[in-house]
Amino acid sequence: MSVARRIVARMNVILIAGFWLRGDSWSEVVPVLEQAGLTAHTPTLAGLESVDDDRSQVTLASQIAEVVALVDSLEGDGKVVLVGHSGGGAIIHGVVDARPDRIERAVYVDSGPTPEGVAINEGLEATGADAPLPPWEDFDETDLRDLTDEQLAWFREIAVPEPARVAHDPQHLANPARNEVPITLISSTFSRAEIEEAIAAGVPYFTEVPLMARATIVELPTGHWPQFTKPRELGRLIVQAVGT
């Protein structure tokens, strides 16, 4: 067994879903990780269990604290890999900032390490504490690429309103040691060249990337939800990132 394989086999991986999704949205990715010997954790964060949840007290900071608590609960099991899809990228980056010594690698799935002062989506429409899944017409065609009509209908059926403050609150970072944690960007709606151009142009969403000591960009061309459209390919890329 190679060194990389041994590292993978003993690693806990925490997967944080993007907006409107519960932890079970990773169900087709998890078997690929488990086949590689990884232990996958797919928590459903507060406010996302049910459409009937009270989301009024759920914030970006409180969801970050939930994942920090999960990392701390694995204290005796070595370092942890974090995977965040879409809005989950801001959450895992907050955890990297809080526990840089515990994180082996952070993997951002069609997302990135949200910088200080930047909200995930401050323009997302909300009614009170709830930000429901918008109509599909509001999304770019690239976001919906490879999703079948059946998948779109199923997604809308399972979607839970996002806690509005998770979308609207600015990120708060305080620990420069986060920059020492290796990161991987698995991009499904942008090419590597487009991301590199955005970094060079100083696009706010990507300003954390050049600060990281080790950053890898990997392309997985599909829509914004590769856990639905290319779950096995996504799983293999996560495994590769863990073993890097």
Side-chain angles (χ1 to χ4, degrees):
M1 182 182 288
S2 69
V3 172
R5 178 70 178 181
R6 289 199 301 272
I7 291 173
V8 167
R10 68 170 184 263
M11 194 69 65
N12 286 289
V13 179
I14 298 174
L15 301 105
I16 303 301
F19 285 3
W20 312 295
L21 293 171
R22 294 184 290 263
D24 58 7
S25 59
W26 296 102
S27 61
E28 292 190 60
V29 177
V30 166
V32 181
L33 308 186
E34 292 179 339
Q35 257 189 334
L38 293 161
T39 301
H41 306 266
T42 57
T44 295
L45 300 183
L48 290 161
E49 282 285 355
S50 165
V51 294
D52 299 321
D53 284 358
D54 178 6
R55 283 168 272 275
S56 61
Q57 302 303 310
V58 182
T59 67
L60 177 59
S62 71
Q63 286 198 343
I64 290 170
E66 285 184 72
V67 183
V68 169
L70 177 53
V71 170
D72 290 347
S73 75
L74 302 171
E75 189 68 46
D77 297 319
K79 290 196 174 184
V80 175
V81 171
L82 301 174
V83 179
H85 165 252
S86 190
I91 294 168
I92 69 165
H93 198 53
V95 179
V96 170
D97 185 71
R99 297 289 186 273
D101 58 320
R102 291 298 317 285
I103 309 305
E104 182 75 21
R105 178 174 291 270
V107 181
Y108 300 85
V109 179
D110 219 37
S111 62
T114 307
E116 166 68 25
V118 174
I120 302 171
N121 187 346
E122 60 186 358
L124 183 64
E125 291 189 11
T127 301
D130 294 3
L133 176 65
W136 295 127
E137 293 78 13
D138 290 359
F139 290 88
D140 292 337
E141 287 185 14
T142 305
D143 290 332
L144 305 180
R145 186 169 53 190
D146 296 336
L147 282 167
T148 65
D149 290 342
E150 292 77 11
Q151 286 175 314
L152 289 170
W154 167 77
F155 188 169
R156 189 156 296 279
E157 182 179 336
I158 67 166
V160 177
E162 186 67 24
R165 287 197 57 188
V166 175
H168 299 162
D169 286 355
Q171 176 79 286
H172 290 303
L173 305 171
N175 191 348
R178 69 182 179 275
N179 299 333
E180 299 305 314
V181 176
I183 70 169
T184 298
L185 307 181
I186 299 177
S187 182
S188 55
T189 58
F190 294 96
S191 69
R192 183 201 309 268
E194 287 172 326
I195 293 175
E196 290 173 345
E197 287 173 9
I199 293 170
V203 173
Y205 190 79
F206 291 105
T207 54
E208 279 281 287
V209 177
L211 302 179
M212 313 306 286
R214 287 166 288 173
T216 303
I217 301 171
V218 180
E219 295 178 3
L220 177 58
T222 186
H224 185 57
W225 291 274
Q227 65 270 55
F228 299 152
T229 56
K230 293 191 175 181
R232 288 175 294 280
E233 294 89 336
L234 176 58
R236 288 195 287 268
L237 288 177
I238 293 171
V239 171
Q240 289 174 17
V242 174
T244 301

